[in-house]
């Protein structure tokens, strides 16, 4: 065959990677694994087999963890944690660095083992999974080193339970373990049941790297073991996997005080404008949807093509698909390997078979006659509501539709319950950077796809979960602010007598959509001072009022697009107008609460408004240096609509402490005012009305927070829910949030020093923003 023939046919010879070393390692381990607990492997017990999905061969037997195993792992982690944290920045940095070096040293063994266990092409494991895992440990060795100097107020959370999926077994382990360890936590990690082998090899590496015993613990098993970890005495759960399981974990951890981050599914749009470099965009799609057989949470699985370019683009794409090579994952010449397991093959085949819409093109590439292979597939001409346009397939199946205008592209892109990532292809930088901020996702790649790096936070919005992994922004998930919090003292409203104030019925209304509104139920409750004197009445809001307030907040979207400069001016103006009525507010606070702290509370409130006016145009993002020909611009965007149950104590300052950071960052809020002392909030409505706050940006409800917490937390159009109210409400809010997996921030019954540093600062700004990483080409 001549070179010309080869170029024409793209025929190729096999180039298999040797599996001898990996098999020898398995044999060395007896091909049977126990758990890795307290620095040593336990005796193998009853369990399950791990198979090579390309051949069906059994690779090893793993042990299904029992409650006692999980308990032992958590206890070991708990015992090891204080010493690990005390080892200090440099001590931990050295250990993480040693892990990175050993991962590098054994990279070929890791790559081959990963391929055997998972079925991904060796090219990918060798060039992406394993190098990125090393990079994560190097990067976080640096974060450990810098923690003491750069994050002096941060401390470890304690013991972290980490549950990871099967699509990037070693890489997901690295994403979870490296930052946790860097910040002084210890871990109990469970790999996915299909793919535990590289985690076992990693345990071996930990021993060699001198990781103190108990700092890293690995237990194996199925979802039942995951459930045990979720229920165990851990301080945090970090989960990557399906949205369905993520939702269960959100519900199971509600009210437990455990921190939680969820990195879930996606249906990421891949937007091709007609002025894009179409050949590059086609090549990008190979990496977007056929990388790892499409078993990628951020896979560009939903192709949106601008109409003038659609026919040509689809033609080029089909041509390219037909050239993709499927074959033994160990063959260095193949593009597409096997799905992870027959179960996944069945799921993907079933979803495609059930679809009757659109036009299906299956790559004209020979399918190996055994193994979990599924051919690259393109389905064009779908409607946005078609099942395959909405549901995550998690296989090599690309679905597509067309659009006409950039506005339509954005609308289609955002027409999803997910919000993980998006790719935008255009040669027009103005267009690409105009579209990027409009996409409801955590990561945007401009003229690229599926790029990841330890320096850039990764994670989504909506039902793709919350929290970021990587970058400075990822560290918040593994730290908390130093200092010991006191338990919240719950406050009862005063009781008294009388039905009118000075013969006049004074019933404060709610504040919805810029207007004072009567409560839907028509009820109000009397508010008495400490001496039992009637001060007035406050409306009792119900779930219909919550809905109205959410609608008003949604309609005020324009606020999120205003400049920080404008928002600062409005916050200063609110402060000025509050100051003008300082005496009146002080008197009201004293009358409601008894005592004489009103004037101080008003003063602190004015100061706090100034603080967030100051921050409104200064809480900037970052530019991450990532090892590609480009940069990742980490933008801090508003979360959207935030519902907040304000504290009972500090009735004015608490309300302002929730409102000001939220609106400073461009969010719209629904505030449920202090339940025992609601009248400072209702007086504050008049201040808002005179301060140029656009209608719907701030909405204020009064009434029992227990009635409002659930509808607020469950509402699908609320993007985050905060609770600084009674302890029991933390659980209500976290549980309810599972509907759309909104972000939550709750007090778990711990008090906050509203007058002091605990009432403001970076925690509030972080909770009020979402980091979006936009990867753009830059330099050479
Ligand atoms: P899964 O979400 O069930 O499994 C992920 C991990 O969670 C595994 O370690 C599993 O053992 C564990 N787990 C399962 N049930 C649990 C529970 N109740 N509590 C705690 N841990 C639990 O994912 P699965 O079933 O392997 O895949 C199903 C679908 O999920 C895929 O087809 C895909 O659509 C999606 N998926 C998404 C991933 C992502 O990265 N976003 C990764 C893996 C799956």
């Amino acid at each position: 065959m001549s070179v010309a023939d080869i170029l024409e046919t793209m025929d190729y010879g096999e180039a298999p990677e040797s599996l001898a070393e990996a098999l020898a390692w398995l044999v060395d381990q007896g091909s049977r694994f126990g758990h890795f607990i307290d620095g040593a492997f336990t005796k193998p017990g009853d369990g399950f087999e791990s198979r090579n999905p390309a051949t069906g061969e059994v690779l090893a037997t793993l042990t299904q963890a029992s409650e006692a195993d999980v308990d032992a792992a958590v206890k070991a982690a708990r015992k090891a944690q204080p010493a690990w944290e005390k080892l200090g920045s440099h001590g931990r940095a050295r250990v993480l660095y040693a892990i990175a070096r050993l991962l590098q040293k054994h990279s070929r063994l890791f790559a081959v083992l990963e391929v055997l266990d998972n079925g991904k092409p060796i090219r990918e494991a060798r060039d992406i999974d394993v190098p990125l895992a090393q990079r994560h440990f190097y990067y976080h060795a640096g974060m450990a080193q810098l923690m003491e100097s750069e994050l002096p107020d941060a401390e470890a959370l304690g013991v972290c339970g980490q549950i990871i999926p099967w699509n990037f077994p070693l890489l997901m382990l690295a994403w979870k373990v490296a930052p946790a360890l860097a910040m002084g936590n210890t871990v109990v990690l469970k790999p996915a049941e299909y793919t535990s082998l590289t985690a076992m090899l990693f345990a071996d590496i930990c021993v060699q790297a001198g990781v103190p015993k108990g700092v890293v613990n690995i237990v194996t098993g199925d979802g039942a073991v995951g459930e045990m970890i979720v229920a165990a005495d851990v301080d945090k759960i970090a989960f990557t996997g399906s949205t369905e399981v993520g939702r269960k974990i959100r519900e199971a951890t509600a009210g437990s005080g455990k921190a939680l981050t969820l990195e879930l599914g996606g249906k990421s749009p891949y937007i091709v404008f007609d002025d894009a470099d179409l050949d590059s965009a086609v090549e990008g799609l190979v990496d977007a949807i056929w990388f790892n057989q499409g078993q990628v949470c951020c896979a560009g699985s939903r192709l949106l093509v601008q109409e003038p370019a659609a026919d040509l683009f689809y033609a080029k794409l089909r041509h390219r698909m037909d050239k993709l090579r499927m074959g033994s994952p160990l063959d260095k010449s193949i593009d597409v390997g096997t799905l992870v397991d027959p179960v996944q093959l069945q799921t993907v085949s079933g979803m495609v078979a059930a679809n009757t819409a659109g036009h299906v093109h299956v790559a004209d590439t020979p399918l190996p006659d055994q193994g979990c292979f599924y051919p690259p597939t393109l389905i064009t001409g779908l409607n946005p509501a078609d099942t395959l346009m909405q549901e995550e397939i998690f296989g090599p199946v690309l679905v597509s539709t067309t659009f006409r205008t950039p506005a339509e592209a954005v609308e289609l892109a955002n027409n999803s319950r997910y919000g993980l990532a998006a790719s935008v292809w255009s040669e027009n930088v103005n267009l690409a950077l105009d579209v990027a901020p409009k996409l409801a996702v955590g990561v945007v790649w401009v003229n690229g796809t599926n790029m990841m790096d330890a320096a850039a936070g990764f994670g989504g919005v909506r039902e793709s979960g919350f929290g970021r992994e990587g970058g400075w922004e990822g560290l918040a998930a593994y730290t908390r602010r130093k200092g010991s919090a006191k338990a919240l003292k719950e406050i009862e409203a005063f009781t008294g007598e009388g039905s009118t104030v000075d013969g006049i019925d004074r019933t404060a209304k709610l504040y919805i959509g810029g207007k004072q509104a009567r409560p839907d139920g028509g009820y109000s409750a009397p508010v008495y001072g400490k001496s039992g004197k009637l001060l007035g009445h406050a409306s009792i809001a119900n779930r219909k009022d919550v809905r109205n307030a959410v609608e008003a907040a949604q309609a005020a979207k324009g606020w999120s697009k205003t400049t920080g400069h404008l928002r600062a001016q409005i916050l200063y103006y609110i402060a000025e107008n509050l100051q003008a009525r300082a005496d009146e507010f002080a008197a009201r606070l004293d009358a409601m609460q008894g005592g004489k702290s009103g004037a101080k509370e008003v003063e602190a409130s004015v100061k706090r408004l100034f603080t967030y006016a100051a921050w409104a145009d200064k809480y900037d993002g970052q530019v991450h240096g990532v090892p590609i020909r480009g940069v990742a611009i980490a933008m801090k965007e508003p979360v959207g609509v935030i519902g907040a149950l304000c504290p009972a104590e500090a009735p004015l300052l608490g309300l302002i402490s929730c409102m000001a950071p939220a609106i400073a960052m461009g969010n719209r809020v629904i505030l449920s005012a202090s339940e025992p002392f609601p009248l400072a909030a209702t007086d504050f409505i008049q201040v808002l009305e005179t301060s140029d706050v656009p209608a719907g940006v701030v909405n204020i409800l009064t009434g029992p927070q227990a009635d409002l917490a659930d509808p607020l937390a469950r509402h699908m159009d609320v993007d985050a829910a905060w609770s600084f109210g009674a302890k029991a409400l933390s659980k209500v809010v976290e549980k309810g949030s599972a509907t759309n997996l909104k972000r939550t921030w709750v007090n778990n019954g711990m008090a906050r020093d509203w007058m002091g540093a605990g009432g403001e600062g970076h925690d509030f700004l972080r909770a009020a923003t979402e980091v979006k990483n936009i990867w753009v080409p830059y330099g050479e």
Side-chain angles (χ1 to χ4, degrees), residues 164-166 190 193 226-227 239 241-242 245 264 297 344 392 394:
I164 56 170
W166 40 258
K190 189 192 86 65
E193 50 274 41
E227 279 179 53
F239 172 78
S242 62
V245 173
L264 310 174
C297 50
Q344 190 64 10
E392 184 176 41
F394 226 63

